[in-house]
Amino acid sequence: LTLKSMLEAIRDFIQEFPKFEIIFPVHPNPYVEKTVKEILGNHSRIKLIEPVDYLGMIKLMKQCHFIITDSGGIQEEAPSLGKPVLVLREVTERMEGVEAGVSRLIGTSSHNIYHAACELASNPLVYSLMQGKNPYGDGKAATRISEYLQGALS
């Protein structure tokens, strides 16, 4: 029931916002695949695609307006790209994003999903407030570690 209601919320959102398109990598689980195709498969602005590798996902995230996910990794990557994240979980181990305001824990109810997506799509202020500073770092840790090690070994 939860998967169906989440997918119905996504379908209802896309019907409400004709300027949007959804790219949806479909999990290969047979039940998930069947349910996703049943609910989202016949909509012209919803593209169901095979799961993508890391670089493919980064490319998709760079091109999107915002992200709806339950993936912990995507919760960490999206703020580096300035993309607001709606998290389809009741709890997350990545509270830094929620506390920084770059992600929002919305749960799995269709009502919450639909309304949070509509708000991000229609309210530029809410959208801009979710494009804050990345709480997971500046992406320069490897450079700093390398410089430290070079200095320590000199």
Side-chain angles (χ1 to χ4, degrees):
L1 181 61
T2 301
L3 176 61
K4 287 183 179 182
S5 66
M6 290 188 300
L7 295 170
E8 288 166 354
I10 290 169
R11 182 197 60 211
D12 293 347
F13 165 79
I14 200 70
Q15 290 172 336
E16 182 74 22
F17 290 87
K19 72 176 186 171
F20 280 83
E21 180 178 279
I22 293 175
I23 308 298
F24 193 111
V26 181
H27 192 280
N29 173 290
Y31 170 76
V32 172
E33 185 176 7
K34 178 183 179 291
T35 307
V36 169
K37 286 181 178 177
E38 181 180 288
I39 296 172
L40 301 180
N42 294 318
H43 199 289
S44 63
R45 289 181 290 110
I46 300 175
K47 308 297 182 217
L48 303 180
I49 64 172
E50 298 288 321
V52 296
D53 63 13
Y54 177 77
L55 293 177
M57 184 57 71
I58 296 297
K59 182 178 179 184
L60 287 173
M61 290 192 308
K62 285 173 83 171
Q63 296 172 350
C64 76
H65 188 63
F66 64 89
I67 298 166
I68 301 174
T69 189
D70 68 348
S71 164
I74 290 175
Q75 290 177 60
E76 289 183 6
E77 298 288 349
S80 295
L81 303 169
K83 304 301 177 173
V85 181
L86 300 177
V87 181
L88 300 176
R89 293 187 187 186
E90 301 301 325
V91 295
T92 181
E93 63 279 2
R94 290 161 176 94
M95 286 303 294
E96 301 93 335
V98 175
E99 292 164 0
V102 297
S103 62
R104 186 181 304 163
L105 203 55
I106 61 170
T108 58
S109 86
S110 61
H111 177 268
N112 289 355
I113 296 165
Y114 174 78
H115 286 284
C118 289
E119 184 178 42
L120 272 178
S122 63
N123 188 327
L125 177 60
V126 170
Y127 183 85
S128 68
L129 289 173
M130 288 187 72
Q131 292 182 295
K133 185 174 185 228
N134 183 355
Y136 302 106
D138 61 7
K140 298 177 182 173
T143 301
R144 285 195 287 277
I145 292 168
S146 176
E147 289 170 356
Y148 174 80
L149 291 174
Q150 286 175 357
L153 297 174
S154 304

